[in-house]
Amino acid sequence: MDIAVEKVCEFILRVRALDVKEGPTDEDSGSNPIDDGSRDVLTEDPDDATEEELREVIAGLNDDERAELVALVFVGRGDMEPEEFADAVRLAREREAAGTSTADYLLGIPNVGDLLAEGLEGLGLRCEV
């Protein structure tokens, strides 16, 4: 793979942080986390740059790295077998060439972090914890 496993793992961590965000749980909660049971820690905030940062990370990848990231999702989701990784990369390049934004595509997939991790495992790789 052209994309470093560490880059994929960093992306997985960031996208999982985005996945756990939810809408406000108690808009009238106090400002003290102990008083409100720390429920507001995982709520979305307009100032939260997590999705924007993920889009910047994806934009900062070269063509091969973006294609391999999408190919890992194909493998992790079971659309393609690990032995078909080269074909998965080709399909990912075709998808992007057809005008599909890689950032929109990846960030629109529920549990994309889990799929990327499964794709890595399918290739015999894993993130160091």
Side-chain angles (χ1 to χ4, degrees):
M1 284 193 331
D2 286 331
I3 190 168
V5 173
E6 293 79 18
K7 278 188 182 181
V8 177
C9 295
E10 177 67 25
F11 186 81
I12 290 170
L13 287 174
R14 287 176 183 240
V15 80
R16 284 181 174 162
L18 182 63
D19 282 346
V20 298
K21 296 287 185 173
E22 57 184 46
T25 55
D26 181 7
E27 294 183 23
D28 296 325
S29 68
S31 62
N32 185 339
I34 294 173
D35 291 343
D36 66 15
S38 298
R39 286 181 296 237
D40 293 335
V41 171
L42 299 177
T43 58
E44 292 179 7
D45 182 338
D47 295 328
D48 188 359
T50 306
E51 183 174 344
E52 183 180 327
E53 289 172 356
L54 282 170
R55 290 181 179 281
E56 289 174 7
V57 168
I58 294 168
L61 298 175
N62 66 39
D63 294 344
D64 293 333
E65 291 173 326
R66 283 193 312 275
E68 289 180 352
L69 202 58
V70 172
L72 283 170
V73 170
F74 292 161
V75 171
R77 192 168 49 197
D79 295 339
M80 303 189 86
E81 297 298 322
E83 305 80 42
E84 300 174 299
F85 188 73
D87 291 331
V89 171
R90 182 183 49 77
L91 288 174
R93 285 189 180 121
E94 289 173 5
R95 175 182 291 275
E96 190 173 62
T100 302
S101 162
T102 299
D104 289 344
Y105 177 70
L106 290 173
L107 298 178
I109 299 172
N111 298 320
V112 70
D114 295 338
L115 296 174
L116 287 166
E118 289 174 26
L120 281 175
E121 287 183 24
L123 297 177
L125 304 168
R126 62 179 341 133
C127 295
E128 298 292 323
V129 179

